[in-house]
Amino acid sequence: MSDSAADKGIGDGTRAVRAGLPEPVKYEPTLPGPVFAAHFHLPGEATGPYKYGRDENPTWTHLEHAIGELEAPGQDGVETLVFASGMAAISSVLFSQLRAGDAVVLPDDGYQVLPLVREQLEAYGIEVRTAPTGGDAQLDLLDGAKLLWLETPSNPGLDVCDVRRLAKAAQARGALVAVDNTLASPLGQRPLELGADFAVASGTKQLTGHGDVLLGYVAGTDAAAMAAVRRWRKVVGAIPGPMEAWLAHRSIATLQLRVDRQNATALVLAQALRERADVTGLRYPGLPDDPSYKIASQQMRRYGCVVSFTLPTRARAERFLDALRLVDDATSFGGVRSTAERRGRWGGDAVPEGFVRLSVGAEDPEDLVADVLRALDESAR
């Protein structure tokens, strides 16, 4: 990690463009290509950084440095590990830190795979407590817990909790704190600076931003805890391919450009939707009248690219999605092409049948807003 790239005083765009680049070598590329290797030359004693492809890879190393510089610029003692997917990263923290008899506090309004995670944790004899993200409700469940898991903003409801407050309370009780930072991205929020022990995210989403890479990561400040996460990755083998890691690193260079465009357009779209009588339950943390705005403004630097709202019925929501021309009916979020879906089709989310999660892409704002408003009009007929 170069000193200049780690300098906390530089801008987000400069940091993203240069994050994780190795020291320049004459006639070598600025970003080395992916290293495809299951094993490395290893004569004599097994010393050195690269021994076997399940443990380490030079392409991962560059990417891990890049993500670490974004999640915790200028902060010493931060380690980052990359994984094959966001769920691999989430699982690595939960299952490396918890044992039978431990208690964990999860959000009950988080990512829709968390109920499956709960079943597996409970099968291993781990007590799972849940509360909503909004209102810092998880605060009441901390006594005796080993780990507090936060997801802020929550997916798909976009509630926000006070990371500083919850982290301080949890750590005072001896609990570790992990924050799923997927929806915010490291340019929107830095959980480690807010007091968390782990920042966890799906790099599949806005970090890479093109809908073509599955990736996850964990960044942490506790050396012993991160050693356990690393060991879990080795045992489970939940590792990214070198091509995926290289594509992710390449994509980070445009992160600030994409994030700023998407955030600005998301606010414009949310403001337009606020004027619609047929839209209810509108949520975007960047709206001054949003319930999450106050706390989001205290801990977030950007509010994200996702807007959620509810249409009167399931049929209306489906007609709306069918009428869109610039928005793909697809799951996931954070990509350069806008996507939307009726979230209730998956189950697992406590949302109305007409609930829509819309992820704003990099299209021209006026084009995207016009398309959404036209689709709303057409779907009302």
Coordinates of all heavy atoms in Angstrom, one line a residue, residues 15-65:
R15 N -8.5 8.5 -4.5 CA -8.2 7.3 -3.8 C -8.7 6.0 -4.5 O -8.0 5.0 -4.6 CB -8.9 7.3 -2.4 CG -8.6 6.1 -1.5 CD -9.2 6.2 -0.1 NE -8.5 7.3 0.6 CZ -9.1 8.5 0.9 NH1 -10.3 8.7 0.5 NH2 -8.4 9.4 1.6
A16 N -9.9 6.1 -5.1 CA -10.5 5.0 -5.8 C -9.6 4.7 -7.1 O -9.4 3.5 -7.4 CB -11.9 5.3 -6.2
V17 N -9.2 5.7 -7.8 CA -8.4 5.4 -9.0 C -7.1 4.7 -8.7 O -6.6 3.9 -9.4 CB -8.1 6.8 -9.7 CG1 -7.1 6.6 -10.8 CG2 -9.4 7.3 -10.3
R18 N -6.5 5.1 -7.5 CA -5.1 4.6 -7.2 C -5.1 3.5 -6.1 O -4.0 2.9 -5.8 CB -4.2 5.7 -6.7 CG -4.1 6.9 -7.8 CD -2.9 7.7 -7.6 NE -1.7 6.9 -7.8 CZ -1.2 6.5 -8.9 NH1 -1.7 6.9 -10.0 NH2 -0.1 5.8 -9.0
A19 N -6.3 3.1 -5.6 CA -6.3 2.2 -4.5 C -5.7 0.8 -4.9 O -6.0 0.3 -5.9 CB -7.7 2.0 -4.0
G20 N -4.8 0.4 -4.0 CA -4.3 -1.0 -4.2 C -3.2 -1.2 -5.3 O -2.8 -2.3 -5.5
L21 N -2.8 -0.1 -5.9 CA -1.8 -0.3 -7.0 C -0.5 -0.5 -6.4 O -0.1 0.1 -5.4 CB -1.8 1.0 -7.9 CG -3.0 1.4 -8.6 CD1 -2.7 2.6 -9.5 CD2 -3.5 0.2 -9.5
P22 N 0.3 -1.5 -7.0 CA 1.6 -1.7 -6.4 C 2.6 -0.6 -6.8 O 2.3 0.3 -7.6 CB 2.0 -3.0 -7.2 CG 1.3 -3.0 -8.4 CD 0.0 -2.3 -8.1
E23 N 3.7 -0.6 -6.2 CA 4.8 0.4 -6.6 C 5.1 0.2 -8.0 O 5.2 -0.9 -8.5 CB 6.0 0.2 -5.7 CG 5.8 0.6 -4.2 CD 5.4 2.1 -4.0 OE1 5.9 2.9 -4.8 OE2 4.7 2.4 -3.1
P24 N 5.3 1.3 -8.8 CA 5.6 1.2 -10.2 C 6.9 0.5 -10.5 O 7.9 0.8 -9.8 CB 5.6 2.7 -10.7 CG 5.8 3.5 -9.5 CD 5.2 2.7 -8.3
V25 N 6.8 -0.3 -11.5 CA 8.0 -1.0 -12.0 C 8.2 -0.7 -13.5 O 7.2 -0.9 -14.2 CB 8.0 -2.5 -11.7 CG1 9.2 -3.2 -12.3 CG2 7.8 -2.8 -10.2
K26 N 9.3 -0.3 -13.9 CA 9.6 0.0 -15.3 C 9.1 -1.1 -16.2 O 9.5 -2.3 -16.0 CB 11.0 0.4 -15.5 CG 11.3 1.0 -16.8 CD 12.8 1.5 -16.9 CE 13.1 2.2 -18.2 NZ 14.5 2.7 -18.3
Y27 N 8.3 -0.7 -17.2 CA 7.8 -1.6 -18.3 C 6.8 -2.6 -17.8 O 6.4 -3.5 -18.5 CB 9.0 -2.4 -18.9 CG 10.1 -1.5 -19.5 CD1 11.4 -1.7 -19.1 CD2 9.8 -0.5 -20.3 CE1 12.4 -0.9 -19.6 CE2 10.8 0.4 -20.8 CZ 12.1 0.2 -20.4 OH 13.1 1.0 -20.9
E28 N 6.4 -2.5 -16.5 CA 5.3 -3.4 -16.0 C 4.0 -2.6 -16.1 O 3.9 -1.4 -16.0 CB 5.6 -3.8 -14.6 CG 6.8 -4.7 -14.5 CD 6.5 -6.1 -15.2 OE1 5.4 -6.6 -15.1 OE2 7.5 -6.6 -15.7
P29 N 2.8 -3.3 -16.2 CA 1.5 -2.6 -16.2 C 1.3 -1.9 -14.8 O 1.7 -2.4 -13.8 CB 0.5 -3.7 -16.5 CG 1.2 -4.9 -16.1 CD 2.6 -4.7 -16.3
T30 N 0.5 -0.9 -14.8 CA 0.2 -0.2 -13.5 C -0.7 -1.1 -12.6 O -0.5 -1.1 -11.4 CB -0.5 1.1 -13.8 OG1 -1.7 0.9 -14.6 CG2 0.4 2.1 -14.5
L31 N -1.6 -1.8 -13.3 CA -2.4 -2.8 -12.5 C -2.1 -4.2 -13.1 O -2.5 -4.5 -14.2 CB -3.9 -2.6 -12.6 CG -4.8 -3.6 -12.0 CD1 -4.5 -3.7 -10.5 CD2 -6.3 -3.3 -12.2
P32 N -1.3 -5.0 -12.4 CA -0.9 -6.3 -13.0 C -2.1 -7.1 -13.3 O -3.2 -7.0 -12.7 CB -0.1 -6.9 -11.9 CG 0.4 -5.8 -11.0 CD -0.7 -4.8 -11.1
G33 N -2.0 -8.0 -14.3 CA -3.1 -8.8 -14.7 C -3.3 -9.9 -13.7 O -2.6 -10.1 -12.8
P34 N -4.4 -10.7 -13.9 CA -4.8 -11.7 -12.9 C -3.7 -12.8 -12.9 O -3.2 -13.2 -13.9 CB -6.1 -12.2 -13.4 CG -6.2 -11.8 -14.8 CD -5.4 -10.6 -14.9
V35 N -3.4 -13.3 -11.7 CA -2.5 -14.4 -11.5 C -3.2 -15.7 -11.4 O -3.9 -16.0 -10.4 CB -1.6 -14.2 -10.3 CG1 -0.7 -15.4 -10.1 CG2 -0.7 -12.9 -10.5
F36 N -3.1 -16.6 -12.4 CA -3.8 -17.9 -12.4 C -2.8 -18.9 -11.9 O -1.9 -19.3 -12.7 CB -4.3 -18.2 -13.8 CG -5.3 -17.2 -14.4 CD1 -4.9 -16.3 -15.3 CD2 -6.6 -17.3 -14.0 CE1 -5.8 -15.4 -15.8 CE2 -7.6 -16.4 -14.5 CZ -7.2 -15.4 -15.4
A37 N -3.0 -19.3 -10.7 CA -2.1 -20.3 -10.1 C -2.7 -21.1 -9.0 O -3.3 -20.5 -8.1 CB -0.8 -19.5 -9.6
A38 N -2.7 -22.4 -9.1 CA -3.1 -23.2 -8.0 C -2.0 -23.4 -7.0 O -2.3 -23.6 -5.8 CB -3.6 -24.6 -8.5
H39 N -0.8 -23.3 -7.5 CA 0.4 -23.5 -6.6 C 1.5 -22.6 -7.1 O 1.5 -22.0 -8.2 CB 0.8 -24.9 -6.5 CG 1.2 -25.5 -7.8 ND1 0.3 -26.3 -8.5 CD2 2.3 -25.5 -8.5 CE1 0.9 -26.7 -9.6 NE2 2.1 -26.2 -9.6
F40 N 2.5 -22.4 -6.2 CA 3.6 -21.5 -6.5 C 4.9 -22.3 -6.3 O 5.0 -23.3 -5.5 CB 3.6 -20.3 -5.6 CG 2.3 -19.5 -5.8 CD1 1.2 -19.8 -5.1 CD2 2.3 -18.4 -6.7 CE1 0.0 -19.1 -5.2 CE2 1.1 -17.6 -6.8 CZ 0.0 -18.0 -6.1
H41 N 6.0 -21.9 -6.9 CA 7.3 -22.5 -6.7 C 7.6 -22.4 -5.2 O 7.6 -21.3 -4.6 CB 8.4 -21.8 -7.5 CG 8.4 -22.2 -8.9 ND1 8.6 -23.5 -9.4 CD2 8.1 -21.5 -10.0 CE1 8.5 -23.5 -10.7 NE2 8.2 -22.3 -11.1
L42 N 8.0 -23.5 -4.5 CA 8.1 -23.4 -3.1 C 9.2 -24.4 -2.6 O 9.0 -25.4 -1.9 CB 6.8 -23.8 -2.4 CG 6.6 -23.5 -0.9 CD1 6.6 -22.0 -0.7 CD2 5.3 -24.1 -0.4
P43 N 10.5 -24.2 -3.1 CA 11.6 -25.0 -2.6 C 11.9 -24.8 -1.2 O 11.8 -23.7 -0.7 CB 12.7 -24.6 -3.6 CG 12.4 -23.2 -3.9 CD 10.9 -23.1 -4.0
G44 N 12.4 -25.8 -0.5 CA 12.9 -25.7 0.9 C 11.8 -25.4 1.8 O 10.7 -25.9 1.7
E45 N 12.0 -24.6 2.8 CA 11.0 -24.3 3.8 C 9.9 -23.4 3.3 O 10.1 -22.6 2.4 CB 11.7 -23.5 5.0 CG 12.7 -24.3 5.8 CD 12.1 -25.5 6.4 OE1 11.0 -25.4 7.0 OE2 12.7 -26.6 6.4
A46 N 8.7 -23.7 3.8 CA 7.5 -23.0 3.2 C 7.4 -21.6 3.8 O 6.6 -21.3 4.7 CB 6.3 -23.8 3.5
T47 N 8.2 -20.7 3.4 CA 8.2 -19.3 3.8 C 7.8 -18.4 2.6 O 7.8 -18.9 1.5 CB 9.5 -18.8 4.4 OG1 10.5 -18.9 3.3 CG2 9.9 -19.6 5.6
G48 N 7.4 -17.2 2.9 CA 7.0 -16.3 1.8 C 5.5 -16.1 1.8 O 4.8 -16.9 2.4
P49 N 5.0 -15.2 1.0 CA 3.6 -14.8 1.1 C 2.7 -15.8 0.3 O 1.5 -15.9 0.6 CB 3.5 -13.4 0.5 CG 4.7 -13.4 -0.5 CD 5.8 -14.2 0.2
Y50 N 3.2 -16.5 -0.8 CA 2.3 -17.2 -1.6 C 2.8 -18.7 -1.7 O 3.9 -19.0 -2.2 CB 2.3 -16.6 -3.0 CG 1.9 -15.2 -3.0 CD1 2.8 -14.1 -3.3 CD2 0.6 -14.8 -2.6 CE1 2.4 -12.8 -3.2 CE2 0.2 -13.5 -2.6 CZ 1.1 -12.5 -2.8 OH 0.7 -11.2 -2.8
K51 N 1.9 -19.6 -1.2 CA 2.3 -21.0 -1.2 C 1.3 -21.8 -2.0 O 1.7 -22.7 -2.7 CB 2.3 -21.4 0.3 CG 3.2 -20.6 1.2 CD 3.1 -21.0 2.6 CE 3.9 -20.1 3.5 NZ 3.2 -18.7 3.6
Y52 N 0.0 -21.6 -1.7 CA -1.0 -22.4 -2.3 C -2.2 -21.5 -2.7 O -2.6 -20.6 -1.9 CB -1.5 -23.6 -1.4 CG -2.4 -24.5 -2.0 CD1 -2.0 -25.3 -3.1 CD2 -3.7 -24.7 -1.5 CE1 -2.9 -26.2 -3.7 CE2 -4.6 -25.6 -2.1 CZ -4.2 -26.4 -3.2 OH -5.0 -27.2 -3.8
G53 N -2.9 -21.8 -3.8 CA -3.9 -20.9 -4.3 C -5.2 -20.8 -3.5 O -6.0 -19.8 -3.7
R54 N -5.4 -21.7 -2.6 CA -6.6 -21.5 -1.7 C -6.3 -20.5 -0.5 O -7.2 -20.0 0.1 CB -7.0 -22.8 -1.1 CG -8.4 -22.8 -0.4 CD -8.7 -24.1 0.2 NE -7.8 -24.5 1.3 CZ -7.0 -25.6 1.2 NH1 -7.0 -26.3 0.1 NH2 -6.2 -25.9 2.2
D55 N -5.0 -20.3 -0.3 CA -4.6 -19.4 0.9 C -4.4 -18.0 0.5 O -4.8 -17.1 1.2 CB -3.4 -20.0 1.5 CG -3.6 -21.4 2.0 OD1 -4.7 -21.7 2.5 OD2 -2.6 -22.2 2.0
E56 N -3.7 -17.8 -0.6 CA -3.3 -16.4 -1.0 C -3.1 -16.4 -2.5 O -2.8 -17.4 -3.2 CB -2.0 -16.0 -0.3 CG -2.1 -15.7 1.2 CD -2.9 -14.5 1.5 OE1 -3.3 -13.7 0.6 OE2 -3.2 -14.3 2.7
N57 N -3.3 -15.2 -3.1 CA -3.0 -15.0 -4.5 C -2.6 -13.5 -4.7 O -3.3 -12.6 -4.0 CB -4.3 -15.3 -5.3 CG -4.2 -15.1 -6.8 OD1 -4.1 -13.9 -7.2 ND2 -4.1 -16.1 -7.5
P58 N -1.6 -13.2 -5.5 CA -1.2 -11.8 -5.6 C -2.3 -10.9 -6.1 O -2.4 -9.7 -5.7 CB -0.1 -11.9 -6.7 CG 0.4 -13.3 -6.6 CD -0.8 -14.1 -6.2
T59 N -3.3 -11.4 -6.9 CA -4.4 -10.6 -7.4 C -5.3 -10.2 -6.3 O -5.8 -9.1 -6.2 CB -5.1 -11.3 -8.5 OG1 -4.2 -11.8 -9.5 CG2 -6.1 -10.4 -9.2
W60 N -5.5 -11.2 -5.3 CA -6.3 -10.9 -4.1 C -5.7 -9.8 -3.3 O -6.3 -8.9 -2.8 CB -6.5 -12.1 -3.2 CG -7.1 -13.3 -3.8 CD1 -7.7 -13.5 -5.0 CD2 -7.2 -14.6 -3.1 NE1 -8.1 -14.8 -5.1 CE2 -7.8 -15.5 -4.0 CE3 -6.7 -15.0 -1.9 CZ2 -8.0 -16.8 -3.7 CZ3 -7.0 -16.3 -1.5 CH2 -7.6 -17.2 -2.4
T61 N -4.3 -9.9 -3.2 CA -3.6 -9.0 -2.3 C -3.8 -7.5 -2.8 O -4.1 -6.6 -2.0 CB -2.1 -9.3 -2.3 OG1 -1.9 -10.6 -1.8 CG2 -1.3 -8.3 -1.5
H62 N -3.7 -7.3 -4.1 CA -3.9 -5.9 -4.6 C -5.3 -5.5 -4.3 O -5.5 -4.3 -3.9 CB -3.6 -5.9 -6.1 CG -2.2 -6.2 -6.5 ND1 -1.1 -5.6 -5.8 CD2 -1.7 -6.9 -7.5 CE1 0.0 -6.0 -6.4 NE2 -0.3 -6.8 -7.4
L63 N -6.3 -6.3 -4.6 CA -7.7 -6.0 -4.3 C -8.0 -5.7 -2.8 O -8.7 -4.8 -2.5 CB -8.6 -7.1 -4.9 CG -10.1 -6.9 -4.6 CD1 -10.6 -5.6 -5.2 CD2 -10.9 -8.1 -5.1
E64 N -7.4 -6.6 -2.0 CA -7.6 -6.4 -0.5 C -7.0 -5.1 -0.1 O -7.6 -4.4 0.8 CB -7.0 -7.6 0.2 CG -7.8 -8.8 0.0 CD -7.1 -10.1 0.5 OE1 -5.9 -10.1 0.7 OE2 -7.8 -11.2 0.6
H65 N -5.9 -4.7 -0.6 CA -5.3 -3.4 -0.2 C -6.2 -2.3 -0.7 O -6.4 -1.3 0.0 CB -3.9 -3.3 -0.9 CG -2.8 -4.1 -0.2 ND1 -1.6 -4.2 -0.7 CD2 -2.9 -4.8 1.0 CE1 -0.8 -4.9 0.1 NE2 -1.6 -5.3 1.1

